[in-house]
């Protein structure tokens, strides 16, 4: 049976990996087991190659409020306009951020997001990627593209997954957006 993320008449393929999450003792973060996760993700992408994007989530995003679902759909559409290959809904840490709009940020590396939206342009790289033992799914996917986008505000991140790193990320993004609005008052909404 195929699982779907449904919003405003759109049906997007959804792979719910909430059963695969494990605690990384070193980082104190929720991560995905690399070997079995990559195999599931590759099979999922292979089965959905005709779709423009697929959603991979560590927590069931079908439980989002309707307004959050619509915001995610708008973010997906905007990501296509900006050439994104990977969209994430939150992050514990990130490197380099460039605000594209008040709700969409271009980021360098992202750490441990709960939801990934992978666009068709990235499918072949994922399908051809060799799985490396002891390397997390997050680290592997970060290495596959520099075209990563982040939704702002974060979508559907449960309080239980938040930690000090995420709180620092939230503060950094707010500061960057405030600075951007001062220096670039014509930034798109």
């Amino acid at each position: 049976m195929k699982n779907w993320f449904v919003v405003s008449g759109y049906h997007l393929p959804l792979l719910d990996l909430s059963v695969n999450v494990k605690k990384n003792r070193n980082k104190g973060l929720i991560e995905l087991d690399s070997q079995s996760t990559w195999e599931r993700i590759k099979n999922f992408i292979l089965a959905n190659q005709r779709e423009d994007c697929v959603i991979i989530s560590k927590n069931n995003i079908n439980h989002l409020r309707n307004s959050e679902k619509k915001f995610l759909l708008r973010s997906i559409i905007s990501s296509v306009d900006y050439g994104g290959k990977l969209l994430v809904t939150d992050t514990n840490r990130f490197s380099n951020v460039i605000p594209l709009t008040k709700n969409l940020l271009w980021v360098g590396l992202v750490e441990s997001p709960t939801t990934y939206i992978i666009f068709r342009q990235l499918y072949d790289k994922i399908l051809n990627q060799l799985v490396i033992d002891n390397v997390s799914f997050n680290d592997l996917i970060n290495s596959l593209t520099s075209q990563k986008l982040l939704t702002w505000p974060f979508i559907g991140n449960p309080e239980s997954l938040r930690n000090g790193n995420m709180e620092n990320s939230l503060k950094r993004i707010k500061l960057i957006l405030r600075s951007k609005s001062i220096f670039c008052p014509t930034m798109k909404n």
Side-chain angles (χ1 to χ4, degrees):
M1 185 177 112
K2 207 167 194 179
N3 199 5
W4 298 95
F5 173 72
V6 180
V7 59
S8 301
Y10 290 90
H11 292 70
L12 303 173
L14 171 65
L15 178 59
D16 181 5
L17 293 176
S18 56
V19 296
N20 288 67
V21 296
K22 69 177 185 175
K23 192 79 167 175
N24 180 324
R25 291 190 185 121
N26 297 332
K27 297 180 183 177
L29 305 171
I30 303 294
E31 292 196 0
L32 299 172
D33 172 70
S34 62
Q35 184 71 37
S36 62
T37 301
W38 269 104
E39 292 308 316
R40 281 189 67 196
I41 289 169
K42 283 181 175 185
N43 289 334
F44 178 69
I45 289 173
L46 205 52
N48 292 287
Q49 277 186 306
R50 293 185 177 184
E51 301 292 338
D52 292 328
C53 67
V54 295
I55 301 174
I56 298 168
S57 186
K58 297 181 201 175
N59 63 336
N60 191 340
I61 63 170
N62 278 319
H63 296 298
L64 294 175
R65 294 186 315 266
N66 198 42
S67 60
E68 288 179 304
K69 286 181 177 183
K70 288 180 179 180
F71 176 66
L72 178 56
L73 180 61
R74 284 192 308 272
S75 297
I76 290 169
I77 292 167
S78 292
S79 295
V80 171
D81 292 341
Y82 283 101
K85 292 183 181 178
L86 177 68
L87 173 68
V88 296
T89 59
D90 55 31
T91 185
N92 276 304
R93 285 189 203 152
F94 60 90
S95 69
N96 306 327
V97 62
I98 300 170
L100 300 174
T101 70
K102 69 177 185 174
N103 298 120
L104 197 60
L105 311 170
W106 197 286
V107 291
L109 298 175
V110 291
E111 186 175 276
S112 200
T114 54
T115 302
Y116 303 81
I117 295 85
I118 300 171
F119 294 94
R120 182 183 294 152
Q121 298 90 329
L122 197 53
Y123 292 174
D124 285 339
K125 282 188 176 182
I126 291 172
L127 293 172
N128 294 323
Q129 176 67 39
L130 296 174
V131 178
I132 304 165
D133 286 338
N134 299 321
V135 176
S136 73
F137 166 74
N138 187 74
D139 291 343
L140 284 172
I141 201 155
N142 261 302
S143 70
L144 295 180
T145 184
S146 62
Q147 294 167 276
K148 293 180 276 294
L149 302 173
L150 171 65
T151 61
W152 179 257
F154 293 165
I155 299 173
N157 185 277
E159 294 294 322
S160 62
L161 294 182
R162 290 193 174 192
N163 62 26
N165 292 331
M166 181 171 283
E167 295 305 320
N168 288 335
S169 291
L170 293 168
K171 289 176 188 174
R172 279 182 62 205
I173 290 172
K174 287 177 185 176
L175 181 63
I176 289 166
L177 286 173
R178 191 174 22 198
S179 300
K180 178 77 172 171
S181 66
I182 292 168
F183 296 107
C184 300
T186 59
M187 180 173 66
K188 289 184 181 181
N189 287 326

